[in-house]
């Protein structure tokens, strides 16, 4: 039986993982995960691209994946280095006939794919990349990607009308034993360049471990055990505690849970419990997620430039580091902004409402280059997802998909609306705060 290498990327799950299932059908599958050192380097602002909180979640997710594979008779080969070099080397050593992986969208990831493909060619090893990232499959779009609507509502109406969500794919049964290769240890924080493991602040709204097991458990808890989905639309702008929103984003960002799985559970909930605006709203959020993925596919590297996907070269951005640093540290003097920035700094998490406000404040009030904010979020957030983070920052900065280009959040109004008693501000800044 021929050896097939399966390279896990941002799809750290066994349920609804088409790429993995296809690989296991094609031969004797050898699952590999590489902690790619490039994602732990510092970016142009001096922040580690993958910060401590996200790294903690990732390590937990990889450990969980290894356990789940071992339970099926397989194992997970773990390495640290450059993904394309390591994967090509393992493929050569084990005389594999093909490498399977999930397809990614953005530049760094597709560059690594291309580089791996180049290394495998002279070895006569095939590379199969399979789309697994979105709710709606890229092949099922009724238009070519360059005709993707530029406004979300137009996209949503089009896709809901004409495209079906594909069914989830069953988790594979027993798998073959992995032989003739050392499994390798899951790296420590020190190996990945951190001094110590991060301590999560007890005030956090997100106190969960990484991995498919906890992701599926949270989905079960939110929908079924606590029955919170029926009021999601009313509570989703909350800012304190675990249950104002589904909190599924970190698992979605690493692919520990699939968007189609979430969709199917919501549909089942609608049949068995209630179908209302709240249940639809969770699906609505998954469609937003797709929209940013397809936008990244359409615009490529423009998404990462200060001029944005609108290619607005007339907008001038300030690059005053001292001003930017007051925002990062939560020392702007605006309590609502500062509280949110302290939360992300101490926990790696922030509510959606908070994110929109701090991003709007940085780009619109301070006029600081929004790509700096996006790069800080990349480092700080547990649930960083390249397409969603950069898509949202484009949007808020007025160089993305927002049809209302000059939309600005009036911070004081937002604070009064979403934190009228100042409970959130007091939680993160202590008692002595005045808005």
């Amino acid at each position: 039986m021929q050896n097939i290498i399966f390279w896990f990327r941002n799809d750290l799950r066994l349920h609804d993982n088409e790429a993995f299932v296809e690989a296991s059908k094609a031969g004797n599958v050898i699952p590999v995960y590489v902690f790619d050192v490039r994602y732990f380097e510092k970016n142009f602002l001096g922040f580690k691209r993958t910060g401590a909180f996200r790294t903690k979640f990732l390590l937990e997710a990889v450990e969980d994946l290894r356990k789940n594979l071992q339970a099926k008779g397989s194992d997970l080969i773990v390495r640290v280095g450059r993904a394309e070099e390591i994967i090509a080397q393992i493929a050569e050593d084990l005389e594999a006939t093909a490498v399977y992986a999930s397809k990614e969208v953005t530049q760094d990831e597709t560059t690594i794919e291309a580089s791996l493909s180049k290394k495998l060619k002279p070895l006569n090893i095939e590379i199969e990349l399979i789309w697994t990232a979105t709710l709606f499959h890229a092949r099922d779009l009724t238009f070519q990607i360059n005709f993707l609507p530029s406004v979300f509502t137009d996209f949503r109406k089009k896709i809901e009308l004409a495209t079906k969500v594909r069914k989830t794919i069953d988790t594979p049964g027993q798998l073959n034993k992995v032989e003739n290769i050392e499994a390798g240890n899951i790296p420590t924080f020190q190996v990945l360049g951190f001094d110590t493991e991060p301590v999560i602040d007890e005030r956090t709204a997100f106190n969960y471990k990484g991995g498919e097991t906890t992701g599926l458990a949270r989905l079960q808890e939110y929908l079924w055990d606590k029955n919170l989905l029926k009021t999601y639309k009313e509570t989703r702008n909350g800012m304190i505690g675990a249950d104002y929103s589904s909190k599924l984003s970190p698992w979605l960002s690493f692919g520990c849970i699939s968007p189609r799985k979430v969709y199917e559970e919501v549909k089942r909930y609608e049949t068995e419990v209630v179908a209302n605006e709240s249940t639809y709203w969770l699906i609505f959020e998954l469609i937003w997620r797709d929209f940013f993925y397809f936008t990244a596919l359409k615009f490529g590297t423009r998404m990462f430039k200060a001029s944005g996907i609108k290619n607005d070269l007339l907008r001038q951005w300030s690059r005053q580091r001292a001003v930017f640093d007051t925002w990062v540290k939560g020392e702007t003097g605006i309590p609502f902004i500062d509280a949110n920035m302290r939360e992300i700094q101490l926990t790696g998490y922030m509510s959606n409402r908070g994110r929109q406000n701090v991003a709007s404040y940085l780009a619109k009030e301070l006029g600081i280059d929004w790509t700096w904010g996006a790069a800080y979020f990349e480092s700080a957030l547990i649930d960083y997802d390249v397409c969603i983070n950069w898509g949202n920052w484009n949007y808020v900065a007025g160089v993305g998909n927002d049809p209302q280009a000059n939309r600005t959040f009036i911070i004081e109004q937002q604070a009064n609306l979403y934190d009228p008693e100042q409970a959130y501000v007091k939680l993160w800044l202590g008692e002595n705060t005045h808005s």
Side-chain angles (χ1 to χ4, degrees):
M1 206 179 190
Q2 54 196 16
N3 283 337
I4 305 288
I5 307 299
F6 185 77
W7 170 31
F8 276 101
R9 304 175 79 191
N10 290 312
D11 58 340
L12 302 177
R13 64 174 184 273
L14 298 182
H15 76 274
D16 195 35
N17 191 335
E18 187 177 350
F20 184 71
V21 169
E22 288 304 311
S24 57
K25 279 185 198 161
N28 181 34
V29 67
I30 293 135
V32 184
Y33 183 81
V34 180
F35 286 85
D36 196 310
V37 290
R38 287 163 289 199
Y39 291 99
F40 296 91
E41 287 168 357
K42 288 186 174 171
N43 65 15
F44 65 97
L45 293 164
F47 301 117
K48 264 176 107 73
R49 286 185 63 187
T50 308
F53 294 118
R54 184 164 168 75
T55 299
K56 180 177 189 296
F57 194 88
L58 171 61
L59 289 166
E60 290 160 356
V62 171
E63 197 169 330
D64 183 61
L65 179 63
R66 174 173 266 181
K67 278 188 189 134
N68 293 341
L69 283 162
Q70 286 169 344
K72 293 188 175 293
S74 181
D75 204 343
L76 182 65
I77 310 306
V78 175
R79 298 287 185 267
V80 179
R82 288 173 173 255
E84 67 275 41
E85 291 168 10
I86 287 169
I87 299 291
Q89 191 59 59
I90 291 175
E92 186 177 12
D93 293 347
L94 296 178
E95 297 177 351
T97 51
V99 171
Y100 279 68
S102 287
K103 177 84 187 92
E104 296 263 356
V105 177
T106 40
Q107 188 192 12
D108 288 354
E109 292 69 27
T110 53
T111 302
I112 293 172
E113 289 170 6
S115 169
L116 174 60
S117 180
K118 212 187 246 165
K119 287 188 186 316
L120 295 175
K121 219 179 178 73
L123 303 169
N124 218 2
I125 299 171
E126 294 290 316
I127 181 167
E128 291 282 344
L129 296 168
I130 294 168
W131 187 272
T132 61
T134 49
L135 179 62
F136 293 99
H137 198 288
R139 287 229 177 97
D140 298 342
L141 296 181
T142 53
F143 45 82
Q144 287 176 303
I145 200 70
N146 48 337
F147 295 116
L148 176 81
S150 58
V151 175
F152 169 71
T153 306
D154 300 340
F155 167 74
R156 179 179 62 78
K157 286 178 176 162
K158 249 185 173 163
I159 203 153
E160 283 184 325
L161 204 65
T163 312
K164 276 197 160 35
V165 174
R166 294 185 182 185
K167 280 193 158 39
T168 54
I169 286 169
D170 289 341
T171 307
Q174 277 301 105
L175 295 162
N176 291 337
K177 208 169 157 215
V178 174
E179 292 176 315
N180 307 323
I181 182 166
E182 196 63 45
N185 295 323
I186 292 173
T188 59
F189 279 88
Q190 287 75 14
V191 166
L192 297 174
F194 297 90
D195 297 334
T196 53
E197 187 173 328
V199 177
I200 303 228
D201 193 292
E202 68 213 14
R203 294 168 289 184
T204 186
F206 187 87
N207 198 8
Y208 296 95
K209 282 191 155 184
E212 179 177 22
T213 308
T214 44
L216 293 172
R218 172 58 183 175
L219 184 61
Q220 167 72 25
E221 175 185 60
Y222 187 75
L223 268 66
W224 304 102
D225 304 347
K226 293 187 174 177
N227 200 12
L228 293 163
L229 182 58
K230 65 173 192 290
T231 53
Y232 171 64
K233 192 162 190 274
E234 291 78 57
T235 63
R236 71 194 173 89
N237 282 312
M239 305 184 78
I240 299 174
D243 290 341
Y244 63 80
S245 66
S246 74
K247 297 290 184 296
L248 294 173
S249 58
W251 292 289
L252 282 164
S253 73
F254 279 116
C256 299
I257 193 165
S258 109
R260 296 194 299 214
K261 173 70 176 170
V262 178
Y263 176 83
E264 280 184 8
E265 285 295 301
V266 172
K267 286 296 180 195
R268 181 160 80 86
Y269 183 91
E270 288 183 336
T271 309
E272 294 176 22
V273 184
V274 65
N276 61 16
E277 233 186 320
S278 283
T279 58
Y280 170 68
W281 211 258
L282 195 58
I283 293 170
F284 177 88
E285 300 286 4
L286 290 174
I287 301 172
W288 256 114
R289 184 176 176 275
D290 274 18
F291 181 58
F292 284 137
Y293 267 77
F294 294 130
T295 298
L297 199 57
K298 176 180 176 179
F299 289 104
T301 55
R302 258 164 67 179
M303 206 169 188
F304 304 101
K305 296 192 167 95
S307 51
I309 62 174
K310 279 193 176 154
N311 206 20
D312 183 349
L313 299 166
L314 299 173
R315 284 288 291 275
Q316 294 298 304
W317 298 100
S318 156
R319 297 191 175 85
Q320 287 178 279
R321 185 65 198 242
V323 177
F324 172 71
D325 285 342
T326 62
W327 176 81
V328 168
K329 290 176 186 153
E331 293 171 358
T332 66
I334 314 279
F336 192 61
I337 298 299
D338 292 346
N340 275 290
M341 294 308 291
R342 301 276 173 91
E343 182 182 15
I344 190 179
Q345 188 188 338
L346 295 168
T347 68
Y349 194 80
M350 189 197 294
S351 69
N352 183 49
R353 182 55 45 190
R355 294 174 201 209
Q356 290 177 313
N357 275 281
V358 300
S360 177
Y361 182 77
L362 184 77
K364 299 275 172 79
E365 306 272 326
L366 299 176
I368 296 283
D369 183 340
W370 64 270
T371 64
W372 288 21
Y376 174 65
F377 270 25
E378 174 173 0
S379 174
L381 282 172
I382 294 177
D383 64 357
Y384 170 76
D385 180 306
V386 56
C387 303
I388 295 161
N389 182 63
W390 291 85
N392 266 314
W393 273 95
N394 266 270
Y395 190 95
V396 173
V399 293
N401 306 92
D402 191 351
Q404 211 182 311
N406 299 319
R407 188 195 308 262
T408 304
F409 286 83
I410 298 158
I411 306 301
E412 202 173 327
Q413 265 180 14
Q414 292 273 312
N416 291 336
L417 201 55
Y418 296 106
D419 191 28
E421 307 290 311
Q422 293 213 333
Y424 176 76
V425 162
K426 284 174 188 156
L427 180 69
W428 291 102
L429 298 183
E431 287 296 323
N432 315 319
T433 53
H434 307 283
S435 50

